[in-house]
Amino acid sequence: MLNELLTRRLLFVGGKGGVGKTTTAAALALVAAERDRRCLLVSTDPAHSLADLFGRPIGHRETALTASLWALEIDPDRQADEHLETVKARMRRLVHPRSFAEIDRQLDLARHAPGTMEAALLERVAEVMALAGDQYDQVIFDTAPTGHTVRLLSLPEVMAAWMDGLLGHRERSARLGSALRNLGGGRVKGDDLSLLESAADHAEGSRDQQLNELLQMRRRKFVRARELLLDANVSAFLLVLNPDRLAVLETIKAHEILTRFSVPVTGLVVNRVLPPDADGAFLDARRRQEAPYLEQIDQIFSRLPRVRVPLLPDEINDMETLRRLGRNIVGDDPVR
Amino acid sequence: MAQKEGRLARLKALLEEFYVSPYRGAIARARREEDDLFMLFVFSELMGVPNPAAYYTLELQPLLLERFHDWHRRQGLEHSPLDGFRCC
């Protein structure tokens, strides 16, 4: 039913916390790998659980799980540390050694500024997105709960706009600079140009050029990530939910927001549906409760492909069960 | 003849300078304002203005460090607004 999910280069699995995103993402990744597609499974949730699910260490580097499945847990802390170290090293080359300690202090503050983690995460996500279609046939993202993810997906637009603004200023400054040179600026004393034209600031291969290159590079990354994300032939967004009030409400909101951002929502996995043969008065009562939610989901999302996954008697903790779950989601065969 | 040409060239340069220099000053100022605004965006956090791209503009700061002192003086701040960058 959701077979087309596995034809996209990028698949994002999202939803409320605790509905089974990680399990769904991992199950789909195993099916993709089983079909001989080189697949990378990526967790962007700061509270990673891929390693726990597969019962083996994964971490910040791509780790092989099967012959064609790799996994990666993005560590924004580490990403931010590496970024700040690079900036520190560049600063040290430019200032007097007596300022080293002060610069370190300053940058360590930036380390804990709001938004730093998000920005670091986005940077890595953008890089990983670029691997799809090249190093991997498919990259599957096990995303953080909806709010974080929506914010993350809207960031490339905001950031690209910000970089555009900065580049606009650089461009105007460069135009004025060349007008100035045509008027013989910099050759004549007393024009208060000492600051502008000294220190080889505006020459070829100069500071200006480096500034522009950095800004352009950033901009390219964001624009590219956004293009990939919004291309329905490249990306798919799968929402996971449970048949309960809070999960349904959050899914409605998430679907609205994603649609507003033109992110292609491709399907719905209704997870942990009580199977009809589960017996007992208690489960009967629960089943009566979930019935209206199942109906509501079918009504509201009638135009989206949906698949119901039953609540299983056992916890999933082996690859074979996961794989079977995955086949069930894409519509190959039932779980039980 | 050669002497006459030399004198003409000097006169030409002088006249050019006479007409062009006021514009040059204006353009230089416009450009400096443009650059100052750019500095403000990159160092906005220091002035308490939130910068949504702070993490990414941080990498521009090393390249602008040399202009930092003159910039904060022009913004009317006698001393560096930043404890960390004690440039004066």
Side-chain angles (χ1 to χ4, degrees), chain B residues 22-42:
Chain B
Y23 297 106
R24 197 163 49 216
I27 291 175
R29 267 193 303 280
R31 180 185 195 177
R32 201 173 60 192
E33 274 162 23
E34 206 55 70
D35 285 350
D36 281 353
L37 201 55
F38 182 78
M39 290 288 281
L40 180 64
F41 284 127
V42 174

Side-chain angles (χ1 to χ4, degrees), chain A residues 15-21 145 242 271-272:
Chain A
K16 193 180 181 325
V19 294
K21 288 186 295 295
N242 299 148
N271 196 17
R272 297 201 191 113

Side-chain angles (χ1 to χ4, degrees), chain A residues 128-194:
Chain A
V128 172
M129 281 171 77
L131 297 178
D134 178 27
Q135 216 169 316
Y136 298 99
D137 296 313
Q138 185 169 40
V139 177
I140 299 183
F141 288 92
D142 168 25
T143 69
T146 321
H148 291 278
T149 301
V150 167
R151 169 103 182 105
L152 187 69
L153 298 182
S154 64
L155 267 178
E157 188 177 10
V158 179
M159 292 297 133
W162 189 263
M163 295 298 148
D164 275 347
L166 288 180
L167 280 165
H169 287 292
R170 304 305 310 153
E171 224 169 80
R172 279 195 291 281
S173 167
R175 265 208 308 276
L176 291 168
S178 79
L180 210 51
R181 269 189 297 281
N182 290 338
L183 295 180
R187 282 193 271 116
V188 187
K189 268 181 145 187
D191 261 342
D192 192 23
L193 291 173
S194 46

Side-chain angles (χ1 to χ4, degrees), chain B residues 9-83:
Chain B
R10 262 212 307 283
L11 183 67
K12 193 171 165 250
L14 214 70
L15 276 173
E16 226 173 62
E17 187 55 28
F18 177 76
Y19 286 112
V20 141
S21 61
Y23 297 106
R24 197 163 49 216
I27 291 175
R29 267 193 303 280
R31 180 185 195 177
R32 201 173 60 192
E33 274 162 23
E34 206 55 70
D35 285 350
D36 281 353
L37 201 55
F38 182 78
M39 290 288 281
L40 180 64
F41 284 127
V42 174
F43 289 97
S44 65
E45 300 261 286
L46 309 184
M47 319 288 267
V49 181
N51 169 2
Y55 179 82
Y56 303 118
T57 48
L58 200 63
E59 66 189 355
L60 305 177
Q61 290 187 3
L63 295 167
L64 293 166
L65 222 49
E66 282 167 2
R67 300 185 203 167
F68 185 73
H69 175 69
D70 294 286
W71 172 71
H72 78 69
R73 294 290 294 269
R74 275 202 303 281
Q75 304 308 301
L77 300 163
E78 201 177 325
H79 297 292
S80 167
L82 175 70
D83 290 340

